[in-house]
Amino acid sequence: MRECVITREQKDHLDILHLDGSLDAYSFPKLESALNELRETKRHHVILDCASLDYISSAALGALIGFARRSREQKGDLKLARLSPKIFNIVELLGFHKILDIFSDIDQAIRKFA
Amino acid sequence: MTPGLIHALGVVPLSWGLVVLSLLFLAILFARMRQLQRERDILLQEKDVIFGFVHDVGEVFVDADHIDLDHLLKRVLFYAQRTTHAGAGAIYLLEPDGESLRARAAAGIFPPLVGEVESGLEHALSKSQHVETLIKTRVVSKGEGLIGAVADFGAPILIEDAEPDPRVPHYDEDFLKIKTLLLVPMRFHQKTIGVMCVVNRVDGKPFILSDLNLLQSLADQASVSVHYAGFRETLDEKKRIDHDLSVARRIQTALLPKEIPRVDSVELAAFNYPALEIGGDYYDFVHVDDTHLGIAIADVSGKGIGGAIMMSVCRSILRAQAPGNLSPAQVLKSLNRVVCQDITEDMFVCMLYMILNTSTRELVVARAGHERPILSSGERGDFTIINSPGIAIGISEIETFESALEEATLQLRPGDVVVAYTDGITEAMNAQNEEWGIENFLDAVRVAAEEGANSVLNNVRQRLTRFVGNRAQYDDMTLLALRVMR
């Protein structure tokens, strides 16, 4: 499985993290530390661009919900954008689409933050 | 003037001159002697330091092959301080990722070389404790600041006069002021494994080159032991995890039903293969009332003991709630309400709970984020994926969970087969890193469905075993099948 490469793009008060690769138990800590860093610098408006994400484990998805919840406590959010059908299926199976905000493109997600 | 007087006059200045000269000579001699004495003292002192150092190096390693890493580092640091007369010191070790460093030992009040001290210092009960916690929790990236630079380039840094140096942080607090500073790399086989740093000599003098050389020698000697102690630590950690897993496996095995219940005109079958890294699968059959059988299958997201304990909690609640309750959604809601309060953040449980009316063969299904069960219809031989909406247990607000959960009701007919499974089956991998996948799984079910529940079970097991080969699996695999007999 490919490692996950994370590229950060900053747009005003928003941070877009472009994810490229796989997120499993071994590669998730990398995203976790990137998200923690944003939280420490009080940046709570985050969009995860999943267009190039090949795989995400259900445990990693669960952890993302934890991040979304903590962001919401700070009046922010963690939103997901551009999920592949395969990944959306996992999210839907777990019922997480009822908890996380999911968008088919990034602009939509940005507009939702405004 | 008489010749005698002339003589006398000539002699007197000459002898005075001699006296002055010899006094001067004596003074120089005396000064030189003092200087030599001082040099001798310094040499003796240095000799003491070297002897002390050689002794210390011996002490560091006297039982280094069986003390743990933290003790070893503490000891190394103690002797590093003693050798260099440093007021404070710290040892940073490279993390397993090879990209960041963490302080594993600190002595004296070691002022942070990166990051801030402001937060909470005034309110800290013990300032030294607070500063130590700060430096031990602040991870330093390779290349960041002085510590990161030493780790990156593998070369020592000596800053005799640190106060005007822009690379050194300046603190207002007296106890944090850095006057002189010395950092050396710890190397093993040409690879940097850490950085040893000392600050401020107790005698107020600056560190000098000889301090650097001594500290580097100590670091070079210590690195070998530190490397092996770190290696042992990883091994101990692995042993601990193995133990954790074997306990978890025993808990998990104890939770599974010892036997499959016998129900008139319904054939039931189930298997569970625990994975190498315990996954936290569970299945159960519960007596709801005389005409209703509860069938549950679940998968906890957490692994190890945490997951096993969560599973045992779920089992207890399910077994307490199930009797007499004919609505599977209601049972899952009660379960979620209890689990919500106890479950750790980010952990969740996917569960499928079905209630079969054994006289009418009506099946009511509620699905909390679990894999959708499959209905293979005996008469028409077609497949239905039983889809009912629901969210995994323990991760959402109670209202969100309850409003999302809906039941699906099916009237089973003779020959119908219902199969429930965990994702360990469809995500099983072979040596080529290929997933078995839902299509292969459905095929295996389809071919055997006509033969009955046990046949489905055996066929899936056979094809799955053939597919994965020798490849170790990292997730539990669980399968349940029921067939209404003709």
Side-chain angles (χ1 to χ4, degrees), chain B residues 126-425:
Chain B
S126 150
K127 295 203 173 8
S128 61
Q129 193 66 50
H130 181 74
V131 175
E132 184 170 332
T133 311
L134 274 183
I135 72 151
K136 282 193 170 169
T137 48
R138 171 66 156 85
V139 175
V140 181
S141 310
K142 213 170 173 181
E144 181 188 9
L146 287 163
I147 297 160
V150 172
D152 203 11
F153 298 111
I157 294 178
L158 164 64
I159 303 178
E160 291 180 32
D161 186 6
E163 278 176 304
D165 197 297
R167 294 169 295 175
V168 181
H170 298 274
Y171 296 110
D172 295 331
E173 297 83 359
D174 269 340
F175 64 96
L176 290 175
K177 280 202 161 57
I178 304 168
K179 300 184 183 81
T180 177
L181 176 68
L182 181 52
L183 305 101
V184 299
M186 301 181 76
R187 294 168 296 210
F188 182 79
H189 280 294
Q190 275 94 44
K191 253 185 72 188
T192 304
I193 60 165
V195 177
M196 197 192 283
C197 3
V198 290
V199 296
N200 300 346
R201 275 182 71 110
V202 283
D203 54 15
K205 290 180 186 165
F207 290 122
I208 52 171
L209 198 60
S210 66
D211 293 321
L212 186 151
N213 290 334
L214 282 173
L215 194 66
Q216 187 64 70
S217 308
L218 181 69
D220 289 345
Q221 296 294 320
S223 295
V224 183
S225 300
V226 169
H227 171 80
Y228 286 113
F231 188 62
R232 275 203 310 279
E233 194 180 66
T234 318
L235 214 65
D236 289 346
E237 173 69 5
K238 195 186 167 299
K239 275 189 203 149
R240 198 191 56 72
I241 292 172
D242 284 349
H243 174 73
D244 185 311
L245 287 179
S246 85
V247 171
R249 193 162 297 156
R250 262 179 285 156
I251 297 175
Q252 199 193 12
T253 317
L255 294 181
L256 297 176
K258 301 281 169 294
E259 54 188 28
I260 308 251
R262 302 171 75 85
V263 180
D264 277 347
S265 69
V266 175
E267 185 197 0
L268 292 166
F271 78 70
N272 164 264
Y273 285 148
L276 261 187
E277 288 178 41
I278 222 92
D281 278 9
Y282 158 76
Y283 70 89
D284 212 350
F285 300 102
V286 211
H287 181 83
V288 178
D289 63 25
D290 287 345
T291 52
H292 291 89
L293 176 73
I295 303 163
I297 181 166
D299 183 358
V300 180
S301 71
K303 291 180 191 290
I305 287 187
I309 289 174
M310 201 64 245
M311 199 80 279
S312 116
V313 169
C314 287
R315 176 181 185 267
S316 305
I317 305 169
L318 177 76
R319 291 196 154 217
Q321 296 290 332
N325 197 333
L326 298 183
S327 158
Q330 209 49 55
V331 171
L332 290 183
K333 283 177 192 173
S334 315
L335 205 153
N336 180 59
R337 280 178 184 232
V338 183
V339 168
C340 253
Q341 298 158 17
D342 295 338
I343 204 160
T344 54
E345 171 146 85
D346 307 348
M347 201 192 242
F348 57 88
V349 182
C350 296
M351 191 183 268
L352 177 74
Y353 182 48
M354 310 184 283
I355 296 178
L356 175 71
N357 183 325
T358 49
S359 60
T360 66
R361 283 120 179 219
E362 187 186 69
L363 184 74
V364 187
V365 178
R367 190 184 65 88
H370 198 273
E371 296 290 335
R372 300 170 184 101
I374 299 152
L375 167 68
S376 164
S377 190
E379 282 165 18
R380 301 175 301 278
D382 57 20
F383 263 60
T384 317
I385 299 211
I386 307 167
N387 196 8
S388 57
I391 306 172
I393 291 165
I395 195 140
S396 64
E397 299 292 323
I398 289 174
E399 302 77 57
T400 317
F401 179 87
E402 297 195 350
S403 67
L405 193 64
E406 282 174 36
E407 290 175 349
T409 306
L410 300 97
Q411 181 56 58
L412 300 183
R413 291 181 179 82
D416 281 358
V417 174
V418 176
V419 179
Y421 63 99
T422 57
D423 59 4
I425 294 206

Side-chain angles (χ1 to χ4, degrees), chain B residues 74-151:
Chain B
K74 230 181 209 166
R75 193 188 284 176
V76 170
L77 194 55
F78 172 78
Y79 289 114
Q81 259 187 296
R82 210 162 86 157
T83 307
T84 56
H85 302 279
I91 296 177
Y92 282 79
L93 290 187
L94 212 59
E95 294 277 281
D97 66 5
E99 289 302 317
S100 50
L101 297 123
R102 195 186 285 278
R104 283 290 299 259
I109 301 186
F110 186 81
L113 297 181
V114 286
E116 310 264 319
V117 286
E118 288 147 21
S119 51
L121 186 61
E122 296 103 87
H123 311 294
L125 214 52
S126 150
K127 295 203 173 8
S128 61
Q129 193 66 50
H130 181 74
V131 175
E132 184 170 332
T133 311
L134 274 183
I135 72 151
K136 282 193 170 169
T137 48
R138 171 66 156 85
V139 175
V140 181
S141 310
K142 213 170 173 181
E144 181 188 9
L146 287 163
I147 297 160
V150 172

Side-chain angles (χ1 to χ4, degrees), chain B residues 24-35:
Chain B
L24 203 67
F25 177 70
L26 271 174
I28 291 170
L29 204 67
F30 186 70
R32 176 75 186 134
M33 207 172 76
R34 285 291 298 271
Q35 194 195 345

